[in-house]
Amino acid sequence: VKRYIAILTQGGTDAPAASVHENTLGGTVVWTRLSAGAYIATLAGAFPIGRTVPKVGVDYNGNCYFASANMIGSAPDAFSLLTFDNTFTNVDHNSQIYVEIDVYP
């Protein structure tokens, strides 16, 4: 299993910054902010459909309650990370998010 584990921090309209604890994917995952509460992780060919399992966890900070990670289309290059408040409105998390991506052979 290849694995990426990081703590993401994000503020204002900045892209998330990753404090990487483990990365055996063979390259650097690039994080981009698309809009409030919508982020993309990219690494060419690193996330094959049917073999990639992204997991997320949110530190509660009074604004953000939930996070979700989803594969994007059929390309193995990216997945989305969405953060929500308690009304399920996309909001920037301005906190820490635990991200783990497992890629199975």
Side-chain angles (χ1 to χ4, degrees), residues 56-73:
V56 294
V58 178
D59 283 349
Y60 172 76
N61 71 354
N63 294 316
C64 180
Y65 297 87
F66 309 101
S68 141
N70 303 289
M71 299 306 297
I72 299 174

Side-chain angles (χ1 to χ4, degrees), residues 2 23-29 41-49 51-53 71 75-79 101-104:
K2 294 180 181 178
N23 182 1
T24 57
L25 296 179
T28 301
V29 175
T42 57
L43 177 57
F47 311 118
I49 301 298
R51 298 185 306 153
T52 302
V53 181
M71 299 306 297
D77 300 332
F79 73 89
I101 306 165
D102 294 330
V103 179
Y104 294 88

Side-chain angles (χ1 to χ4, degrees), residues 4 8 15-18 29-33 39-42 79 81 99 101:
Y4 174 85
L8 302 180
V29 175
V30 176
W31 290 94
T32 306
R33 179 185 182 271
Y39 316 99
I40 299 286
T42 57
F79 73 89
L81 174 66
V99 176
I101 306 165

